Amino acid sequence: MTDASGGAETVTRAFRVAYDGRKYAGFQRQPHAHTVADDLLGALADHGIVDPGDGPTHATPPGYAAAGRTDAGVSAVAQTVAFEAPAWLTPRAFNGHLPGSVRAWAAADVAAEFHATHDAVRRTYRYHLYAPKAGASGTTESACRDPEHAVDDERLRAALARFDGEHDFHNLTTDETGTVRDLDARATREGDTLVVEVAAGGFPRALVRRIVAAARAVGRGTAEPEWIDRLLAPEPISGDRGVGPAPPEPLVLWDVTYPDVEFDVDPEAAESARVAFGERHRDARHAAAATGAVRDRLFDAFDEK
């Protein structure tokens, strides 16, 4: 179809968007902070698709919505943004005005009434928890040198199992509505990292990070598995007995599922995203190598005493 002014052909298009959330104040626009949405809408303004503005005053295209509202510091590989777009706006074209920290990499043309938020049936998050292995199954050298973060895998998995199924998570979020959710939670070890995957139809605010924090406490032995049952009980929990959210930076919006929507990967855009995130990963590893070397030298100095 053409737009109201008789201009270029338009379609309702959903884009898969990856971003490094560490420098952003979250996804959703805010009055006095820079967000991922600011960069997306700024790119559309640079393309002449929406009216330009100053910061959060950019206009939004018809039908604009996103799959999730990630918090400050949280990243994504499959955030989904849909709106009425000119047919020429492919992921590759979209990236032409996006910073390297935000990359569109796939797209799907959808029905005009499609809504990226309401039509999502499942969202999956992965939290990359630094947790050297400890416990009866074998303690690693990293766990011996960093016992504060060492985790017993079986205890952590037992804690996650208690979150499985449908529960009212009112004690694990600041939201007052939408707290009943049906979750799947699991963890997979990758070296010194436990990848905690949590999936559900939707999530109240900071729920995934509080689940990770609670499971980590059980895995470290500072809480017993029965504490999880208390967190899921109907009675409110006072602040000193509750659980705060784990840090946001290791959390990634990993996948969003829509019925009957097939996303086509744009090879050039996907390669651009791979290169951009490869560079960011390399830079982070360089910084981590330096601080790790300082840490190890201090351990050696202590051992030499």
Side-chain angles (χ1 to χ4, degrees):
M1 62 180 175
T2 57
D3 63 23
S5 62
E9 179 186 1
T10 63
V11 295
T12 302
R13 183 164 289 164
F15 294 88
R16 292 292 208 195
V17 178
Y19 51 84
D20 179 350
R22 290 176 297 171
K23 76 171 189 176
Y24 292 101
F27 179 84
Q28 190 172 355
R29 287 191 292 178
Q30 302 173 32
H32 304 293
H34 188 63
T35 68
V36 178
D38 289 334
D39 279 349
L40 290 173
L41 295 171
L44 295 182
D46 290 341
H47 277 298
I49 296 170
V50 298
D51 292 333
D54 181 14
T57 64
H58 286 299
T60 57
Y64 173 84
R69 179 187 58 194
T70 55
D71 292 335
V74 175
S75 297
V77 67
Q79 174 69 281
T80 304
V81 179
F83 50 89
E84 185 180 318
W88 56 261
L89 187 69
T90 62
R92 178 179 57 184
F94 206 159
N95 288 339
H97 287 292
L98 285 172
S101 54
V102 182
R103 299 277 94 181
W105 58 273
D109 288 352
V110 294
E113 62 272 16
F114 178 86
H115 195 283
T117 309
H118 304 321
D119 289 345
V121 296
R122 194 166 187 80
R123 295 166 173 85
T124 301
Y125 282 87
R126 287 187 179 179
Y127 193 98
H128 297 79
L129 177 67
Y130 172 65
K133 189 175 184 179
S137 55
T139 299
T140 64
E141 180 182 353
S142 297
C144 293
R145 287 202 161 193
D146 198 359
E148 180 183 353
H149 294 93
V151 166
D152 183 304
D153 289 20
E154 297 311 310
R155 285 180 61 91
L156 183 138
R157 289 192 175 102
L160 288 177
R162 292 176 183 251
F163 290 116
D164 267 342
E166 184 174 293
H167 303 281
D168 188 336
F169 294 95
H170 66 103
N171 282 321
L172 292 158
T173 180
T174 57
D175 287 356
E176 296 182 357
T177 61
T179 58
V180 177
R181 299 290 177 174
D182 189 353
L183 293 186
D184 291 320
R186 64 198 61 178
T188 304
R189 178 162 289 283
E190 296 181 0
D192 284 340
T193 299
L194 274 171
V195 181
V196 180
E197 181 175 291
V198 184
F203 292 91
R205 189 182 303 271
L207 175 59
V208 175
R209 292 196 284 134
R210 283 188 166 90
I211 286 174
V212 170
R216 177 177 178 268
V218 174
R220 289 184 57 211
T222 59
E224 294 303 316
E226 292 75 20
W227 177 54
I228 305 299
D229 299 333
R230 177 64 188 91
L231 293 173
L232 296 173
E235 298 79 12
I237 292 181
S238 59
D240 60 342
R241 296 192 62 195
V243 55
E249 289 79 11
L251 183 61
V252 180
L253 175 56
W254 194 255
D255 195 21
V256 183
T257 303
Y258 297 93
D260 304 320
V261 176
E262 295 284 342
F263 286 88
D264 293 324
V265 175
D266 181 324
E268 185 171 327
E271 176 63 12
S272 169
R274 188 194 65 78
V275 170
F277 278 81
E279 292 173 351
R280 303 180 80 80
H281 179 63
R282 179 202 62 206
D283 293 345
R285 286 178 65 91
H286 284 172
T291 54
V294 172
R295 177 203 61 187
D296 293 344
R297 180 65 185 92
L298 293 172
F299 271 118
D300 292 342
F302 179 82
D303 292 341
E304 291 166 2
K305 289 191 62 177

Short mmCIF file of all heavy atoms in Angstrom, two decimals, residues 22 30 36 43 51 68 80 99 112 152 186 199 252 259 261 294-295:
data_model
loop_
_atom_site.label_atom_id
_atom_site.label_comp_id
_atom_site.label_asym_id
_atom_site.label_seq_id
_atom_site.Cartn_x
_atom_site.Cartn_y
_atom_site.Cartn_z
N ARG A 22 24.51 -1.73 27.77
CA ARG A 22 25.28 -1.23 28.92
C ARG A 22 25.31 0.29 29.01
O ARG A 22 25.39 0.84 30.12
CB ARG A 22 26.71 -1.78 28.85
CG ARG A 22 26.80 -3.27 29.13
CD ARG A 22 28.21 -3.78 28.94
NE ARG A 22 28.66 -3.61 27.56
CZ ARG A 22 29.91 -3.82 27.18
NH1 ARG A 22 30.83 -4.16 28.05
NH2 ARG A 22 30.25 -3.67 25.89
N GLN A 30 12.61 7.91 27.73
CA GLN A 30 12.48 8.58 29.02
C GLN A 30 12.79 10.06 28.81
O GLN A 30 13.55 10.43 27.92
CB GLN A 30 13.44 7.98 30.04
CG GLN A 30 13.25 6.50 30.28
CD GLN A 30 14.31 5.91 31.19
OE1 GLN A 30 14.82 6.58 32.08
NE2 GLN A 30 14.66 4.66 30.95
N VAL A 36 17.56 3.03 24.08
CA VAL A 36 17.65 2.35 22.79
C VAL A 36 16.60 2.89 21.82
O VAL A 36 16.88 3.11 20.64
CB VAL A 36 17.49 0.83 22.97
CG1 VAL A 36 17.55 0.12 21.61
CG2 VAL A 36 18.56 0.27 23.90
N ALA A 43 17.13 7.11 14.09
CA ALA A 43 17.49 6.57 12.78
C ALA A 43 16.34 6.73 11.79
O ALA A 43 16.55 7.08 10.62
CB ALA A 43 17.88 5.10 12.91
N ASP A 51 9.04 12.47 11.81
CA ASP A 51 9.49 13.84 12.05
C ASP A 51 10.62 13.84 13.07
O ASP A 51 10.52 13.19 14.13
CB ASP A 51 8.34 14.70 12.57
CG ASP A 51 7.27 14.92 11.52
OD1 ASP A 51 7.60 14.88 10.32
OD2 ASP A 51 6.09 15.12 11.90
N GLY A 68 9.41 -5.82 24.26
CA GLY A 68 9.69 -5.75 25.68
C GLY A 68 10.31 -4.44 26.08
O GLY A 68 10.92 -3.74 25.27
N THR A 80 12.08 -7.07 19.40
CA THR A 80 11.29 -6.99 18.17
C THR A 80 10.51 -5.67 18.16
O THR A 80 9.78 -5.38 19.11
CB THR A 80 10.32 -8.18 18.07
OG1 THR A 80 11.08 -9.39 18.16
CG2 THR A 80 9.57 -8.16 16.75
N PRO A 99 23.79 3.39 15.51
CA PRO A 99 25.15 3.22 16.03
C PRO A 99 25.51 1.75 16.09
O PRO A 99 24.64 0.86 16.01
CB PRO A 99 25.05 3.83 17.44
CG PRO A 99 23.62 3.62 17.83
CD PRO A 99 22.83 3.79 16.56
N ALA A 112 -1.42 -5.79 9.17
CA ALA A 112 -1.49 -4.39 9.58
C ALA A 112 -1.84 -4.25 11.05
O ALA A 112 -1.42 -3.30 11.71
CB ALA A 112 -2.50 -3.64 8.72
N ASP A 152 27.28 -23.84 44.00
CA ASP A 152 27.00 -25.26 43.86
C ASP A 152 25.89 -25.42 42.82
O ASP A 152 24.76 -24.97 43.05
CB ASP A 152 26.58 -25.85 45.21
CG ASP A 152 26.35 -27.34 45.15
OD1 ASP A 152 25.52 -27.79 44.31
OD2 ASP A 152 26.95 -28.08 45.94
N ARG A 186 15.85 -22.76 33.93
CA ARG A 186 16.90 -23.79 33.90
C ARG A 186 18.25 -23.10 33.85
O ARG A 186 18.33 -21.89 33.61
CB ARG A 186 16.73 -24.69 32.69
CG ARG A 186 16.91 -23.99 31.35
CD ARG A 186 16.33 -24.80 30.22
NE ARG A 186 14.89 -24.97 30.43
CZ ARG A 186 14.11 -25.61 29.58
NH1 ARG A 186 14.60 -26.12 28.49
NH2 ARG A 186 12.82 -25.72 29.82
N ALA A 199 11.90 -18.41 30.77
CA ALA A 199 10.95 -18.14 29.69
C ALA A 199 9.53 -18.09 30.24
O ALA A 199 9.17 -18.83 31.16
CB ALA A 199 11.04 -19.21 28.61
N VAL A 252 20.20 -10.77 28.97
CA VAL A 252 19.94 -10.58 27.55
C VAL A 252 18.52 -11.05 27.23
O VAL A 252 18.14 -12.17 27.60
CB VAL A 252 20.94 -11.37 26.68
CG1 VAL A 252 20.65 -11.16 25.19
CG2 VAL A 252 22.37 -10.97 27.00
N PRO A 259 3.21 -16.32 16.99
CA PRO A 259 2.62 -17.38 16.16
C PRO A 259 2.55 -16.94 14.70
O PRO A 259 2.20 -15.81 14.38
CB PRO A 259 1.22 -17.58 16.76
CG PRO A 259 0.94 -16.33 17.52
CD PRO A 259 2.24 -15.76 17.95
N VAL A 261 4.71 -16.11 12.50
CA VAL A 261 5.59 -15.06 11.98
C VAL A 261 6.97 -15.68 11.72
O VAL A 261 7.59 -16.24 12.63
CB VAL A 261 5.72 -13.88 12.95
CG1 VAL A 261 6.73 -12.86 12.41
CG2 VAL A 261 4.36 -13.21 13.16
N VAL A 294 45.70 -7.97 37.35
CA VAL A 294 45.92 -7.30 38.64
C VAL A 294 45.43 -8.19 39.78
O VAL A 294 46.12 -8.37 40.80
CB VAL A 294 45.21 -5.94 38.65
CG1 VAL A 294 45.27 -5.32 40.04
CG2 VAL A 294 45.83 -5.00 37.63
N ARG A 295 44.25 -8.76 39.62
CA ARG A 295 43.71 -9.64 40.66
C ARG A 295 44.64 -10.82 40.92
O ARG A 295 44.96 -11.14 42.07
CB ARG A 295 42.34 -10.16 40.22
CG ARG A 295 41.69 -11.16 41.19
CD ARG A 295 40.68 -12.02 40.47
NE ARG A 295 41.31 -12.81 39.40
CZ ARG A 295 40.64 -13.54 38.52
NH1 ARG A 295 39.32 -13.57 38.56
NH2 ARG A 295 41.28 -14.23 37.60
#
